[in-house]
Amino acid sequence: VTLPAKPGVQLETLAARVEAQQGRNRNVAFARASVIGHQTAIVIFRKEVRAGSSRAVKAYAVRYLPTLETHLRLAKHAESVLTATPAK
């Protein structure tokens, strides 16, 4: 598996949007980006577990999928707390 040397345009655009925010809005944008990123990774990892052709990559996906799922739950919790709490 060859990894990219730098983030793609889509990820760079998302990062720029988050960085453009200030204060609480930045926190909310970061939490939302974390949820989306983890959801995307989980889809990819599940596909690899189900239909992967490389044993090593499949084993990696099996090993780390539970960690991604835990991180997604934490990111969703952070997002819900940030969006439910009124700004001061």
Side-chain angles (χ1 to χ4, degrees):
V1 175
T2 303
L3 299 177
K6 65 179 195 160
V9 173
Q10 187 177 15
L11 186 56
E12 286 181 344
T13 301
L14 177 61
R17 284 187 194 150
V18 171
E19 290 173 2
Q21 301 296 318
Q22 294 183 17
R24 177 188 168 84
N25 290 339
R26 181 181 281 187
N27 293 339
V28 171
F30 180 81
R32 286 190 177 138
S34 295
V35 169
I36 292 167
H38 282 86
Q39 288 171 331
T40 301
I42 287 169
V43 167
I44 293 166
F45 274 54
R46 285 183 179 158
K47 181 180 176 187
E48 196 60 44
V49 167
R50 219 179 32 258
S53 60
S54 166
R55 281 191 203 178
V57 175
K58 190 172 184 172
Y60 184 90
V62 167
R63 181 173 181 184
Y64 290 104
L65 183 57
T67 302
L68 283 172
E69 292 168 337
T70 297
H71 289 179
L72 175 59
R73 283 192 298 277
L74 293 170
K76 284 182 174 182
H77 176 72
E79 180 184 29
S80 71
V81 168
L82 287 166
T83 57
T85 306
K88 293 181 181 180

